[in-house]
Amino acid sequence: MRATIDRILGRTLVFIMSVMVINVLWQVFTRFVTGNPSSFTDELARYLMIWIGVLGAAYVSGRNLHVAIDILPARSTKRRQKVLKAIVYSLIILFVLFAFVIGGSRLVYISYVLGQQSPALQLPLAVVYMIIPISGLLIMYYKTSDLKKLLS
């Protein structure tokens, strides 16, 4: 299942990046060729960048490619390395639960209740912010899976 999620997430990131490139090219074209810049492209590029950053964090977390300071584990025994990894995975799960899932869900709910919309696209901001709890759930899945694998 993890490989399937990795594949879907990777393809989603490629798709979002492709849309962002086309969007920015359209902005450049309308600004310099037609002299009448498109009004929505700046906002769309901003939201796509947010999605790439947050979903990219989940993808990197799942692939264990994130930046890590490994001075302490490198100088420890295998058993202590395992304990340190378990502690780190647990702390990541707790942080993501409170910051991304609970905090992000509250942000989505408040944006939805207030009916906030983006200025140019008139897109509900709750849709834009929804990526935060989704990414949090993905990170929690990955780290829980890593923790289970480590402890088995």
Side-chain angles (χ1 to χ4, degrees), residues 61-82:
S61 177
R63 303 288 298 249
N64 287 317
L65 296 173
H66 47 75
V67 176
I69 300 171
D70 63 349
I71 295 171
L72 193 57
R75 296 180 181 185
S76 300
T77 63
K78 292 290 183 189
R79 175 159 164 56
R80 186 167 286 159
Q81 286 178 3
K82 192 174 180 179

Side-chain angles (χ1 to χ4, degrees), residues 93-130:
I93 292 168
L94 285 173
F95 173 78
V96 168
L97 172 66
F98 288 109
F100 281 46
V101 178
I102 295 172
S105 297
R106 288 190 54 162
L107 178 63
V108 169
Y109 175 74
I110 290 168
S111 298
Y112 177 75
V113 168
L114 294 177
Q116 294 177 328
Q117 293 189 333
S118 64
L121 294 171
Q122 291 300 305
L123 185 69
L125 286 179
V127 172
V128 175
Y129 298 147
M130 187 59 128

Side-chain angles (χ1 to χ4, degrees), residues 3 6 8 13 23-24 33 37 47 73 79 84 101 115 126 132 142:
D6 282 344
I8 291 169
L13 286 166
N23 178 58
V24 171
V33 176
Y47 295 148
R79 175 159 164 56
L84 286 171
V101 178
I132 298 170
Y142 282 132

